[in-house]
Amino acid sequence: MDVPEADHPTPESAGAEAVAPKPKGWRPLLIAVLQPLLILAAAYTLWAKLDQLAARRLAAAIAATDRIDPGWRLGDLMAARETVPDDENAALIVARVVAMLPEYWRAPSASQLGRTWPPSEVGQALGRLASLKAAVRMDDATADVVRDELAAHADAVDLARTVAGYDRGRHEVEIPPNLFDIHTRETYEARAVGRLLAADAAIRAQDGDVDGALESCRAILGVGRSIGDEPNMLSTLVRVAVVGDATDAARRALAQGEPSDEALAALQAALLRESPHALLVQGLRSERAIRDEAVRRVRDAEIPIPAAGGKPPGDRPDTFPKWAAFTLDNMRAADLESMNELISIARDPRPRRAKAWEAWQARAVRSKRPWLGPLGPVLAGLTAGSESALTSTENAMTRY
């Protein structure tokens, strides 16, 4: 009887089976090919969604701005500027006065007159005058220096006082590629004429000519009106500051003596024509238009990024990457929403404005986006040139 062989592999067959290669099949290869494609598809889908959301948000922000404030774009503001004939243009008179003054009068503020140009007795005296409270008279030495300085520039003083009879003015403004670098030298120099007139008002009040002092105060208001409707927030803030100079000079004059009814009524009428609320709204509308147009120009590669940020190129790219254009669309939308709210706050009565301004600032800080990573400095550079203007707005919001 034959005994069947055991059903066990021999050592030779077991070794052969152990080393026999197994077929890999097509799945690993398919996974290797599809995995990067799926990652790219997911990335593209995410990018497309972000681009779509940014485009929708921007379209909605633009539509809302068109609805609540037609004619808000920079081109619209430039086209709507008032045309002023030369014989009614206070800016031309102010420019003539500036040309008649020595350079040290053109310092940024009266308190800096003695520091920004070779220190002089005149600058120090004007600085002391600027620091005095309205009810405090100048000491004789200070008054003598200021009086002699005004006498040395009597022709400029006389011409400046005629600005009281002008109701409007206009500086010619050119819009450069870098919208945060609009030429404003003439506007800043107008403050020198305001300070000259404030010194004249102080001396007249000191010498008992209160009516003459109030006329000089009305001329300071005329200097402010000479700035006109320049589409620039900084120009508006200069004009608001000049109005402040006029009111400060009027307080000093009224604290030094009693004016006639006619002189007081003329000053009151001139002050009532000035509307700090309207000036703030005008400035903020200009700021909104400039910021929006600057970002649009960078987004559409009309200007390089360094020009928009006002800084040398350094390591920055010359143009914004097209794949990241949705970030600029989103930025424009967010800025329009924020500026629309700020303009609404500026239109509020003063009691509500301060609290609303504080709340707006808090929201603006919270809205910063840290996730932008390396794009953050680029985006921040686009509006860095106007941050000082918005910061200075706080003083105007709370003071006027």
Side-chain angles (χ1 to χ4, degrees):
M1 180 175 180
D2 295 334
V3 178
E5 295 182 359
D7 192 15
H8 294 289
T10 63
E12 291 78 10
S13 63
E17 291 179 3
V19 298
K22 294 183 178 180
K24 294 183 178 180
W26 52 268
R27 289 185 179 180
L29 180 61
L30 182 62
I31 291 174
V33 172
L34 290 182
Q35 190 173 36
L37 293 178
L38 290 173
I39 293 174
L40 289 175
Y44 177 81
T45 302
L46 176 62
W47 171 84
K49 185 64 175 178
L50 291 175
D51 186 70
Q52 182 184 58
L53 291 175
R56 287 178 180 176
R57 185 183 183 186
L58 178 58
I62 291 175
T65 310
D66 286 336
R67 183 176 64 255
I68 64 178
D69 192 4
W72 63 273
R73 292 171 176 80
L74 183 59
D76 298 329
L77 297 183
M78 290 294 294
R81 292 194 69 201
E82 182 182 22
T83 300
V84 181
D86 287 352
D87 59 350
E88 299 179 24
N89 192 351
L92 301 179
I93 304 299
V94 170
R96 286 171 55 192
V97 175
V98 169
M100 298 167 70
L101 294 175
E103 189 70 23
Y104 58 78
W105 270 97
R106 304 174 194 180
S109 67
S111 62
Q112 296 176 346
L113 283 171
R115 300 199 303 270
T116 56
W117 199 247
S120 66
E121 190 178 24
V122 173
Q124 294 169 5
L126 291 171
R128 290 195 298 272
L129 170 59
S131 66
L132 287 177
K133 294 183 179 179
V136 178
R137 290 171 60 84
M138 287 179 281
D139 60 79
D140 291 342
T142 298
D144 287 344
V145 173
V146 175
R147 190 180 292 107
D148 291 344
E149 177 70 6
L150 292 172
H153 305 292
D155 290 344
V157 174
D158 291 342
L159 181 59
R161 296 185 82 230
T162 66
V163 178
Y166 288 77
D167 292 328
R168 53 185 180 159
R170 172 179 169 134
H171 292 291
E172 295 303 322
V173 177
E174 294 184 3
I175 302 299
N178 177 9
L179 294 175
F180 300 125
D181 193 29
I182 295 177
H183 177 70
T184 56
R185 178 178 178 132
E186 293 177 341
T187 301
Y188 278 112
E189 289 181 342
R191 288 210 69 182
V193 181
R195 289 195 296 270
L196 179 75
L197 290 164
D200 181 69
I203 286 296
R204 288 177 183 273
Q206 181 101 352
D207 295 342
D209 181 13
V210 180
D211 283 7
L214 295 189
E215 184 177 353
S216 292
C217 293
R218 290 194 295 112
I220 300 174
L221 293 173
V223 172
R225 291 192 295 271
S226 76
I227 297 173
D229 53 3
E230 294 180 16
N232 188 320
M233 183 64 188
L234 295 177
S235 297
T236 301
L237 291 175
V238 170
R239 182 170 177 179
V240 171
V242 172
V243 174
D245 292 342
T247 57
D248 290 344
R251 289 191 189 98
R252 166 166 287 279
L254 294 173
Q256 305 296 324
E258 188 77 18
S260 67
D261 291 343
E262 293 78 11
L264 186 58
L267 177 65
Q268 289 174 331
L271 285 169
L272 288 173
R273 289 203 302 270
E274 297 298 317
S275 172
H277 293 83
L279 291 178
L280 281 174
V281 171
Q282 171 185 309
L284 290 170
R285 291 182 76 232
S286 300
E287 184 71 12
R288 176 184 59 192
I290 288 174
R291 291 163 69 98
D292 181 75
E293 178 65 11
V295 178
R296 186 202 65 77
R297 289 185 181 187
V298 173
R299 193 248 192 245
D300 294 344
E302 293 181 14
I303 57 173
I305 293 173
K311 296 180 180 180
D315 296 330
R316 288 180 173 182
D318 287 337
T319 58
F320 205 79
K322 290 186 178 300
W323 63 265
F326 73 90
T327 61
L328 293 186
D329 289 343
N330 194 62
M331 181 183 181
R332 284 182 66 193
D335 208 53
L336 283 174
E337 294 163 358
S338 181
M339 290 300 296
N340 288 344
E341 182 183 3
L342 187 56
I343 292 169
S344 176
I345 292 171
R347 289 190 169 110
D348 276 346
R350 186 183 177 195
R352 295 203 305 253
R353 197 182 313 137
K355 288 186 177 180
W357 166 254
E358 292 176 1
W360 180 89
Q361 283 184 308
R363 286 192 297 275
V365 171
R366 290 197 301 269
S367 69
K368 294 186 182 298
R369 298 290 189 263
W371 56 266
L372 289 174
L375 295 179
V378 175
L379 296 179
L382 296 179
T383 55
S386 65
E387 291 305 316
S388 61
L390 289 182
T391 300
S392 299
T393 305
E394 180 175 10
N395 294 329
M397 284 283 189
T398 54
R399 179 177 181 183
Y400 298 104

